[in-house]
Amino acid sequence: MQILKAIKGPQGYFDQLFLSQEELDWMRQQVRLQWQARILELHPQLVTVLSQYDLPCYHQLLMDYPQLEHRRLWNKNSRIFTPAVVEHIRQMPFFRKLEAELGPVKIADEERLYPEEIYWRLARPGVAEDVGPMHADSWFWALGHGRIPPGYVRVKIWIPLYLDPGLNGLRFVAGSHRQTWPYIGIERDGLVKPQIQVSDDELDITPFAGQPGQAILFNDDLLHGGLVGGQQSRVSVEWTLFVEKSCYESAKRGVM
Ligand SMILES: O=C(O)CCC(=O)C(=O)O
Ligand SMILES: [Fe+2]
């Protein structure tokens, strides 16, 4: 019960679950296929040049082809894996390890596109608008995003696929799940989203320094956000796990 113990414990997160190289490569390939298909859907004339760009060089592609619009390309629905991909991920050894600790889990359907949704993000280096402000995921649910079946508790998992460790990706405030932080709901991208009422300077923010394929699972109330330093475009996947309340509660509160 190391995972739940750490998530409920003083830190509020667990970062010692690793994808194998094979699992990491497979996920990278799935993002690549979806990324490519979406770009070609809007810009079929790029068919011959797209293969020259790796995902971490995505920002370079945008500079070379200014007709590409990041926001138009990457609405959330264009970044959600299909059910077949989710099923494959569910069969991976790392996912089985997860279920060995957390019990049988469900995956949330926040966008209600598929029954279970795993989605990816792409953030360019130095482009602050590619990530949102610091938040706790519980705020989104409190503002009406998504439904949780009765008898389950939420746990988030975030996995970097391409990352400059410590420079881009995820940042968080360790232990922040044990405090209440002020926020308001404001409209962004046509949805009411939370806006924290504390400035980043007042928060003790730690960049996630894990490697590609190193997952971080965290408490629904932990403050976190994106980070856009480094030289490459960052790609990560994430999903919300629904863990049975009985399993969640039987894990002792950690002291780690
Ligand atoms: O990847 C990001 O920029 C933010 C991720 C996030 O908020 C999450 O995984 O809940
Ligand atoms: Fe989040």
Side-chain angles (χ1 to χ4, degrees):
M1 282 297 181
Q2 289 309 308
I3 299 178
L4 291 175
K5 217 167 138 180
I7 287 170
K8 292 162 75 174
Q11 296 291 324
Y13 68 92
F14 178 85
D15 64 1
Q16 294 301 304
L17 180 73
F18 299 85
L19 267 60
S20 66
Q21 188 62 46
E22 196 183 327
E23 290 168 336
L24 174 61
D25 289 344
W26 195 85
M27 281 209 205
R28 284 175 164 174
Q29 179 63 9
Q30 297 315 306
V31 174
R32 168 87 210 182
L33 291 170
Q34 211 170 7
W35 176 85
Q36 207 165 286
R38 174 65 177 160
I39 294 174
L40 294 180
E41 181 189 338
L42 298 186
H43 304 278
Q45 71 283 11
L46 293 187
V47 67
T48 51
V49 296
L50 208 49
S51 60
Q52 294 160 20
Y53 293 84
D54 274 343
L55 282 173
C57 298
Y58 162 72
H59 56 286
Q60 195 62 53
L61 173 74
L62 288 202
M63 281 189 254
D64 296 346
Y65 298 93
Q67 67 269 38
L68 271 65
E69 285 175 66
H70 180 81
R71 288 182 76 80
R72 172 145 184 263
L73 281 164
W74 309 119
N75 54 56
K76 188 142 175 214
N77 285 4
S78 63
R79 299 182 281 111
I80 302 181
F81 282 152
T82 62
V85 172
V86 173
E87 193 43 44
H88 188 101
I89 292 173
R90 273 186 160 283
Q91 303 305 324
M92 287 178 158
F94 95 90
F95 203 101
R96 290 174 183 263
K97 234 183 277 171
L98 205 57
E99 285 197 308
E101 281 221 25
L102 306 183
V105 293
K106 296 181 191 292
I107 297 173
D109 61 344
E110 276 122 299
E111 302 305 313
R112 303 196 193 169
L113 185 63
Y114 301 126
E116 296 199 310
E117 293 168 351
I118 294 182
Y119 51 96
W120 48 273
R121 287 182 198 255
L122 181 56
R124 293 165 285 176
V127 184
E129 68 186 41
D130 286 0
V131 299
M134 296 293 284
H135 64 277
D137 288 344
S138 59
W139 299 351
F140 281 90
W141 295 82
L143 290 171
H145 300 232
R147 296 159 302 180
I148 180 162
Y152 286 86
V153 175
R154 292 184 297 269
V155 169
K156 187 65 169 275
I157 180 165
W158 183 96
I159 311 174
L161 301 185
Y162 293 99
L163 184 80
D164 286 326
L167 298 176
N168 62 13
L170 195 75
R171 55 195 188 133
F172 57 87
V173 181
S176 54
H177 60 305
R178 293 195 168 173
Q179 285 182 59
T180 315
W181 303 91
Y183 71 93
I184 55 167
I186 58 161
E187 199 172 313
R188 272 202 311 272
D189 308 322
L191 290 170
V192 178
K193 294 189 178 178
Q195 177 64 52
I196 190 167
Q197 298 297 288
V198 178
S199 85
D200 286 2
D201 305 340
E202 295 170 66
L203 298 170
D204 189 7
I205 300 177
T206 309
F208 174 61
Q211 300 294 319
Q214 181 173 354
I216 174 167
L217 290 104
F218 54 89
N219 195 295
D220 200 39
D221 288 321
L222 190 82
L223 284 184
H224 64 278
L227 183 63
V228 291
Q231 302 296 320
Q232 317 181 62
S233 291
R234 171 262 297 201
V235 182
S236 50
V237 289
E238 68 192 80
W239 62 94
T240 302
L241 292 160
F242 293 147
V243 177
E244 284 177 13
K245 207 173 204 157
S246 52
C247 182
Y248 190 84
E249 281 170 2
S250 67
K252 291 235 166 18
R253 270 165 158 255
V255 285
M256 27 183 323

